[in-house]
Amino acid sequence: LFTGSLDGTVKIWCYHSGLCVRTLTAFENTGVISLAYRGRILCVGGQSGELRVFDTAKGTVFTLPGHSDWVNCIRFVSDRTLLSCSDDGTIKVWDLDTRQCVSTLTGHTHHVQWIHLLDDLHTHPSLSPSIRASDSASATDSSQPAPLPFAISASLDNTLRIWDLSTGRCIETLFGHVEGIWSVALDALRIASSSNDGEVKVWDTTSRKCIHTLKVSDSSVNCLTLSDTRIVCGDNEGVVTIYDFRNNK
C-alpha cells in the first residue's frame, strides 16, 4: 500500500504486518497530492505542479516539470506512458522513456480534479468513427505506434470531457452538474460523477446521456466508487451513502 502526505513523503506499507517498510521523500518543501503505481514505477504529483517518478527496484528518481499548479490525479496509460491532470486546467500525457510531455490537453476552464481511462474503441463504438477507421488501417502497419485509449476528465468548471489521447482532441463534453465535479468512477455500462451540487449523476457510456440523478447530500460529494451493483459516495459532512442498482434504493 502506498500513501502520500502533505508532509512531502510517500510511505510504503506491508498489508500483512501493517508495518511501514519504507519512506520516500518526494518533495522537500511541498506536499504530495496524488500518486500512482505500476510494476515497479511510482509516480507522485505535488502541490508545486511537479511529478516525481521513482523506480522502486533501482532506487532512481527523476522529475517531470510542466504543470503550474497542484497535480490532482495520475493514471498509467501503459508501462511507459503517464496521464496527469492539474489545478492549472490542463491534462498532460507523458513519455517516461524520453521524460517529456508529449501532449497537453486543453479545454477545461477550471481545475481538473479527476481523470479516468475509458475502454477501447470497441466498447465505445460511437465515440469517433473516423478515428476507429484510421485505427483499423494502422493495425496492419507494425511501424505505427499503438493508438492511445480515450479518457474522461472531471473539472470544477461543472463539465466532464471525453478525450482522444492519440490526437489530444476533446471529442465530447457532458453537461448536467450545476457546480464543480470532484470525482468520476466507471464500468462498461455506466459513468458516475459527484459534485459540489450534492448530486451524483449516472451516465450511459454508449449514449453519454444522464440516466439517473441522485440527490445525495446538502454538501459537496467529493468522492465515489462504483461496482456492478452499487455506488458508494462520501460527502463533506463525513457521511458515506450507498445506492444499490438492484432495488432502486
Side-chain angles (χ1 to χ4, degrees):
L1 175 69
F2 296 82
T3 58
S5 167
L6 292 181
D7 65 11
T9 68
V10 173
K11 290 185 179 290
I12 306 173
W13 308 82
C14 174
Y15 278 126
H16 300 290
S17 67
L19 298 176
C20 176
V21 296
R22 192 173 177 189
T23 299
L24 302 173
T25 299
F27 303 105
E28 294 290 344
N29 300 307
T30 188
V32 174
I33 300 300
S34 54
L35 54 81
Y37 182 73
R38 181 161 175 166
R40 63 173 193 257
I41 304 300
L42 170 69
C43 185
V44 182
Q47 289 175 302
S48 65
E50 288 185 335
L51 289 87
R52 294 278 168 83
V53 181
F54 295 84
D55 187 317
T56 57
K58 295 181 179 179
T60 59
V61 59
F62 61 87
T63 300
L64 298 174
H67 285 298
S68 60
D69 211 333
W70 289 24
V71 180
N72 292 317
C73 187
I74 302 169
R75 301 284 178 194
F76 277 94
V77 180
S78 67
D79 289 343
R80 308 305 297 170
T81 306
L82 199 68
L83 198 61
S84 62
C85 65
S86 168
D87 273 2
D88 64 14
T90 69
I91 300 161
K92 290 184 179 291
V93 183
W94 305 88
D95 185 323
L96 297 185
D97 290 321
T98 63
R99 303 182 182 182
Q100 298 291 323
C101 173
V102 296
S103 180
T104 298
L105 284 54
T106 59
H108 281 299
T109 58
H110 210 310
H111 303 168
V112 186
Q113 295 298 128
W114 206 253
I115 193 158
H116 259 296
L117 296 177
L118 290 169
D119 293 333
D120 60 29
L121 291 170
H122 301 291
T123 306
H124 303 276
S126 58
L127 282 176
S128 181
S130 61
I131 296 173
R132 188 168 70 254
S134 63
D135 207 18
S136 300
S138 65
T140 59
D141 184 355
S142 60
S143 66
Q144 296 294 321
L148 296 175
F150 293 105
I152 185 167
S153 57
S155 170
L156 295 187
D157 66 7
N158 310 351
T159 68
L160 300 167
R161 286 178 178 260
I162 297 175
W163 306 85
D164 174 18
L165 298 183
S166 292
T167 64
R169 287 195 306 121
C170 174
I171 57 178
E172 193 160 357
T173 302
L174 307 186
F175 299 95
H177 286 288
V178 296
E179 294 189 40
I181 303 171
W182 281 106
S183 185
V184 177
L186 63 147
D187 60 18
L189 300 175
R190 297 173 286 254
I191 299 166
S193 56
S194 67
S195 168
N196 272 339
D197 58 20
E199 294 182 347
V200 167
K201 288 186 179 292
V202 183
W203 313 77
D204 177 73
T205 55
T206 302
S207 67
R208 272 85 61 206
K209 302 296 184 183
C210 180
I211 54 177
H212 298 290
T213 296
L214 310 174
K215 182 58 180 177
V216 177
S217 174
D218 291 329
S219 67
S220 174
V221 184
N222 53 31
C223 59
L224 82 164
T225 189
L226 178 68
S227 74
D228 288 342
T229 59
R230 292 180 177 138
I231 295 175
V232 183
C233 44
D235 67 24
N236 279 358
E237 300 297 325
V239 177
V240 174
T241 306
I242 302 173
Y243 292 89
D244 194 319
F245 290 113
R246 294 170 298 183
N247 57 18
N248 294 322
K249 293 183 180 179

